[in-house]
Amino acid sequence: MKKLPIGIQTFKNLINEGYHYVDKTSFVHDLVTKGKYYFLSRPRRFGKSLFLSTLKSAFSGEKDLFQRLFLKNNWDWSVKYPVVHISFGSGVCKSVEDIQVTFDEILYDHTKKYGIQFAKKSRKGRFGELIQLLNEKYNQSVVILIDEYDKPILDNIHDKTTAIAIREELKNIYSVIKDSDPYIKFVFITGVSKFSKVSLFSGLNNLEDLTLAVRYSSICGYTRKELETVFVDYLEGVDLNEVRKWYNGYSWLGEEVYNPFDILLYLRNKDFRSYWFETATPTFLIKLLETGQYYIPDLYNLSAGEEIIGSFDVDNIKVETLLFQAGYLTIKNLQQIGAFRRYDLTYPNLEVESSLNNYILSALVEDHLAKTRNQSSILDALQANNLNKLKNTIHAFFASIPNQWYRKNRISNYEGYYASIVYCYFAALGLDTIPEDSTNHGMIDLTIRFNGRVYIIEFKVLELTAKGNALSQIKAKRYHEKYSGNDIYLIGIEFSSEDRNIVNFEWERILAEAK
């Protein structure tokens, strides 16, 4: 049995040391035969570095590594190209000076590898000189591979001044590529985010963005077929439907793919956990959601135009763009009407939905043990179908939010705020939750399906409406008709912005009836 390539980012090591490899070399062939300058945005730990390493081995003529792979018989192995490989993936750059030192070290490593010396003094000058000298020494065009091009900026996204200064330093470095075109064979740049060409790649207008190119949608990540064929010796006794619910679902307009980091760790441990989410803390995203008073249930079904899906910059950060590019949201559907393109976004899978909502909840409370107890109580209440216990648990949670949080966060839309919190609680538990559930008669605030029962919930704030209106609205609009044939519970939850808690909780049961 071959080993699982967990954390392996070097193609040569992966092949020589007996790891499983999902053959992505057909993409290498396709890219090289169709173009020259490419850019790809994908979330962290999605296989970008391994793909760049594969490109490096191919252009370096390492034919022995490609036995039984597509590229073996679809590549000119008689030609070797000098490769400039730049990566900002390791460590954290906290200043422009850190970037300068890091890039100096990258240039130095290349002088040692290729046995060349610089005459120019500036970093920009030495980078350009490196490309030209390699072209002259080997009488071949140069391949440039840049990994995690944006990481120094994202490391400082919370500090706008520093992020802008680093962006300008990187822009100066990347500008060399345009002027070096006569000496270049191929360029591939990867990162998590997609900054505009104007802000970071000024002049490099021929850089083709593969991020939403359908034919390259599975260039990183594993398709269902790849998982079930390459890793078949690890799948005995595995519930593939449950695996798909937890770790599949990432889409860039083509076939959905699995997060490779998640699926490999699952195959090793056979334990459903949030492996990918736990490798990073989305602190900055949570701050954006808080300060923008974002209505969290919208993340379940978000409509966005090109300005959200496309590039962003430090000067204008949209939380939806960051959520999409970082991998917390994915594309569910695309509609084009005339010149307008509408993207429907949602969580890719159960891991991301439950983990992100759990993290949002944790940001609201100081007592995380109390939060965990409340979550356990909610599960107990649903399993026992004890709605009074459910009411008491939700009440206890709002009571646990410290007063200083309210002083720091001015909430104008109280109904949206309270609905967000309750939604986060259920979504964090991984339950089947549908916010803004559409019916023929209107929109249900929140639907929860659990153990053959359907809970239909409406939220109101008493300062904005009369007591009892929440349950009355559910009944008047006959929301339950959408789920006829099920055991249905209608729940009206009403809050007070003054008391900052539940002040009315009413419910009725509708017995299952034939559709």
Side-chain angles (χ1 to χ4, degrees):
M1 182 183 290
K2 287 189 174 183
K3 295 183 287 187
L4 294 170
I6 300 169
I8 307 300
Q9 300 181 12
T10 306
F11 179 72
K12 182 183 292 186
N13 293 350
L14 187 147
I15 298 298
N16 287 338
E17 296 174 15
Y19 290 94
H20 273 300
Y21 174 66
V22 175
D23 189 358
K24 301 289 186 178
T25 63
S26 62
F27 291 113
V28 175
H29 175 265
D30 193 66
L31 290 167
V32 174
T33 56
K34 292 182 178 178
K36 181 175 179 178
Y37 293 92
Y38 295 103
F39 169 83
L40 176 70
S41 166
R42 285 293 185 270
R44 57 188 169 79
R45 297 184 178 271
F46 231 89
K48 302 185 297 296
S49 297
L50 178 59
F51 186 75
L52 256 66
S53 181
T54 309
L55 284 166
K56 184 178 181 179
S57 290
F59 281 112
S60 299
E62 297 173 337
K63 181 180 179 180
D64 290 345
L65 299 177
F66 292 84
Q67 302 300 315
R68 296 182 296 277
L69 298 180
F70 175 87
L71 208 62
K72 180 188 176 183
N73 298 319
N74 294 279
W75 191 262
D76 184 358
W77 297 106
S78 66
V79 182
K80 297 182 180 181
Y81 299 89
V83 178
V84 175
H85 188 192
I86 298 169
S87 175
F88 291 109
S90 62
V92 176
C93 291
K94 298 181 179 179
S95 65
V96 170
E97 291 72 23
D98 282 353
I99 286 289
Q100 293 170 342
V101 170
T102 299
F103 196 64
D104 284 344
E105 292 171 347
I106 291 171
L107 292 175
Y108 174 72
D109 289 343
H110 281 81
T111 62
K112 285 184 62 180
K113 177 180 179 179
Y114 291 111
I116 59 178
Q117 291 185 332
F118 294 135
K120 296 181 179 180
K121 301 298 181 183
S122 72
R123 293 175 186 86
K124 181 178 178 180
R126 281 179 284 149
F127 185 23
E129 190 177 10
L130 171 64
I131 297 169
Q132 188 170 351
L133 288 175
L134 290 177
N135 173 257
E136 293 171 356
K137 180 173 182 175
Y138 295 94
N139 195 31
Q140 288 291 351
S141 299
V142 179
V143 173
I144 300 175
L145 307 175
I146 302 178
D147 196 13
E148 305 288 0
Y149 85 101
D150 56 340
K151 187 175 182 296
I153 302 174
L154 296 180
D155 284 342
N156 296 276
I157 199 72
H158 59 281
D159 181 351
K160 184 176 179 180
T161 301
T162 302
I164 290 175
I166 289 175
R167 180 194 67 190
E168 294 306 304
E169 183 68 20
L170 289 173
K171 181 178 180 179
N172 189 45
I173 292 170
Y174 298 145
S175 68
V176 171
I177 298 173
K178 175 181 178 293
D179 294 334
S180 301
D181 179 71
Y183 313 107
I184 291 176
K185 166 68 177 178
F186 183 85
V187 174
F188 201 95
I189 301 171
T190 74
V192 169
S193 60
K194 179 186 170 186
F195 286 89
S196 68
K197 292 179 183 178
V198 174
S199 69
L200 207 52
F201 299 111
S202 181
L204 204 58
N205 295 322
N206 52 351
L207 189 65
E208 183 180 351
D209 181 12
L210 305 179
T211 303
L212 297 181
V214 174
R215 69 182 185 276
Y216 298 113
S217 61
S218 60
I219 194 171
C220 292
Y222 301 153
T223 66
R224 177 179 177 178
K225 182 180 179 181
E226 288 169 341
L227 170 67
E228 295 179 8
T229 53
V230 175
F231 301 101
V232 64
D233 46 348
Y234 283 90
L235 296 179
E236 184 178 352
V238 169
D239 184 342
L240 289 174
N241 287 328
E242 193 69 11
V243 169
R244 197 154 43 246
K245 183 170 72 173
W246 266 83
Y247 304 124
N248 199 0
Y250 293 91
S251 172
W252 288 273
L253 298 182
E255 185 175 0
E256 291 185 345
V257 294
Y258 286 90
N259 181 319
F261 185 78
D262 267 328
I263 196 64
L264 291 174
L265 282 169
Y266 169 77
L267 291 177
R268 184 180 71 180
N269 301 324
K270 301 295 173 63
D271 183 20
F272 289 107
R273 290 180 52 190
S274 300
Y275 300 107
W276 175 78
F277 191 93
E278 292 172 357
T279 61
T281 304
T283 307
F284 182 68
L285 278 172
I286 301 304
K287 287 181 179 177
L288 286 178
L289 292 170
E290 284 185 4
T291 56
Q293 299 177 17
Y294 202 88
Y295 184 54
I296 305 301
D298 278 349
L299 299 180
Y300 180 87
N301 188 17
L302 178 69
S303 293
E306 291 282 6
E307 74 284 356
I308 299 299
I309 292 295
S311 59
F312 81 101
D313 204 352
V314 180
D315 303 302
N316 184 24
I317 299 175
K318 294 183 175 67
V319 65
E320 298 90 346
T321 307
L322 209 53
L323 283 163
F324 169 66
Q325 294 184 1
Y328 298 110
L329 295 178
T330 196
I331 299 173
K332 180 171 61 176
N333 187 43
L334 168 65
Q335 288 185 321
Q336 180 149 358
I337 303 173
F340 180 71
R341 291 165 68 88
R342 190 185 82 178
Y343 299 86
D344 296 327
L345 307 181
T346 190
Y347 301 107
N349 50 45
L350 178 59
E351 180 208 11
V352 175
E353 180 178 13
S354 61
S355 298
L356 182 60
N357 281 283
N358 191 55
Y359 196 85
I360 292 170
L361 281 178
S362 296
L364 293 177
V365 297
E366 294 176 342
D367 189 344
H368 290 182
L369 287 176
K371 185 203 76 171
T372 302
R373 286 196 299 269
N374 287 338
Q375 289 177 305
S376 180
S377 293
I378 283 181
L379 281 177
D380 291 342
L382 289 177
Q383 287 175 333
N385 199 26
N386 187 336
L387 297 188
N388 287 328
K389 183 172 184 177
L390 179 64
K391 170 192 172 182
N392 293 335
T393 302
I394 296 174
H395 188 281
F397 173 72
F398 282 104
S400 71
I401 299 177
N403 287 331
Q404 61 265 31
W405 191 92
Y406 289 97
R407 290 196 295 269
K408 290 186 297 183
N409 298 271
R410 294 186 176 182
I411 305 164
S412 57
N413 186 350
Y414 288 101
E415 183 177 323
Y417 164 70
Y418 291 114
S420 290
I421 299 304
V422 176
Y423 164 74
C424 283
Y425 244 116
F426 288 109
L429 291 169
L431 301 179
D432 186 356
T433 57
I434 309 173
E436 303 292 325
D437 189 6
S438 180
T439 76
N440 290 334
H441 307 291
M443 202 81 72
I444 302 170
D445 281 346
L446 182 64
T447 300
I448 299 165
R449 294 184 288 195
F450 183 81
N451 282 359
R453 300 186 293 271
V454 177
Y455 300 91
I456 295 174
I457 304 174
E458 184 72 22
F459 302 102
K460 295 294 181 186
V461 174
L462 287 188
E463 283 81 357
L464 305 177
T465 188
K467 185 175 181 179
N469 272 2
L471 183 60
S472 296
Q473 179 173 318
I474 299 174
K475 295 163 65 177
K477 295 197 173 183
R478 304 183 66 81
Y479 290 151
H480 64 277
E481 290 181 351
K482 178 175 181 177
Y483 295 99
S484 61
N486 293 277
D487 196 7
I488 303 171
Y489 292 81
L490 315 180
I491 304 174
I493 303 179
E494 295 169 349
F495 299 91
S496 166
S497 58
E498 182 177 342
D499 296 343
R500 297 168 182 166
N501 216 317
I502 295 174
V503 291
N504 192 36
F505 185 105
E506 299 178 297
W507 62 274
E508 289 186 13
R509 180 184 182 186
I510 296 180
L511 295 174
E513 56 185 37
K515 288 188 178 181

